[in-house]
Amino acid sequence: MSPNYMRSFSEGCLRPPTVTGQFHTLFFGSVRVFFLGVLGFAVYGNEALHFSCDPDKREVNLFCYNQFRPITPQVFWALQLVIVLVPGAFFHLYAACKSIKQEDILRKSFYSNFYISSVFLRIILEAVAFWLQIQLFGFKVSAIYMCDMGALEKKSNITRCMVPEHFEKTIFLIAMYTFTMITVVLCVAEIFEISCRRLGFLKTR
């Protein structure tokens, strides 16, 4: 791919054709990524080291922590961010390869419908991630986790484990749910903006 294509692709990703889309990019790329990258590491970075069970043995702690966290929240949210970016990136890659100007995206029905489809797909992916987050992490992190050690000790045995900084993790969970909902609202608002432009209620640049 030539440098011009790469430049068009990067400009399309950073400056979507709608005002709402540009705000979404700013929110997604600064607030959400910064929150996850900086604060997420501070809250979850040493969780496995401080997760302790009774009896406090390395193999018990490791076994129960893997049961408590089938996937770490940082990995899940990082995957969510990457996957949600794919539809928009695919559209802007297509636009760059076809040399489509940003102003033409909203003026031509095929391009605008294609772009709206990518936004709809983004909403669906955010909704699926929202549901998966509920299934994996719930809405609250308890201070005590009851671990079933039957597979480790070959007999039924429930042990208590202490979850470090459980209150901070609960706040972080709520924040990530909130960010997902804000992103979905911005996507819906972007589709509404495009519809208003096509109906003539807003001027297309």
Side-chain angles (χ1 to χ4, degrees), residues 46-64:
N46 297 319
E47 184 181 48
L49 296 177
H50 298 152
F51 188 88
S52 60
C53 301
D54 184 23
D56 190 8
K57 296 180 180 180
R58 184 177 181 278
E59 63 271 17
V60 174
N61 292 341
L62 182 60
F63 178 84
C64 289

Side-chain angles (χ1 to χ4, degrees), residues 33-156:
V33 173
F34 175 83
F35 193 88
L36 176 59
V38 177
L39 297 182
F41 179 80
V43 173
Y44 290 97
N46 297 319
E47 184 181 48
L49 296 177
H50 298 152
F51 188 88
S52 60
C53 301
D54 184 23
D56 190 8
K57 296 180 180 180
R58 184 177 181 278
E59 63 271 17
V60 174
N61 292 341
L62 182 60
F63 178 84
C64 289
Y65 181 75
N66 289 335
Q67 187 181 119
F68 175 64
R69 292 287 191 214
I71 180 173
T72 59
Q74 306 102 300
V75 172
F76 175 83
W77 288 320
L79 287 172
Q80 177 185 357
L81 294 181
V82 171
I83 292 173
V84 168
L85 288 174
V86 169
F90 180 79
F91 172 82
H92 292 299
L93 180 63
Y94 170 83
C97 292
K98 295 292 185 179
S99 300
I100 303 170
K101 297 180 180 179
Q102 290 294 95
E103 55 268 20
D104 290 337
I105 294 175
L106 300 182
R107 291 173 181 169
K108 298 184 179 181
S109 296
F110 177 76
Y111 298 149
S112 60
N113 288 338
F114 190 2
Y115 184 76
I116 289 174
S117 298
S118 71
V119 178
F120 264 121
L121 184 55
R122 196 191 309 159
I123 293 173
I124 293 172
L125 292 174
E126 288 281 16
V128 171
F130 191 91
W131 179 81
L132 285 175
Q133 183 177 334
I134 294 174
Q135 301 303 309
L136 289 170
F137 311 124
F139 291 95
K140 181 180 179 181
V141 180
S142 301
I144 303 295
Y145 175 72
M146 305 305 293
C147 174
D148 183 3
M149 296 176 56
L152 183 65
E153 298 189 346
K154 309 300 182 184
K155 62 181 180 179
S156 179

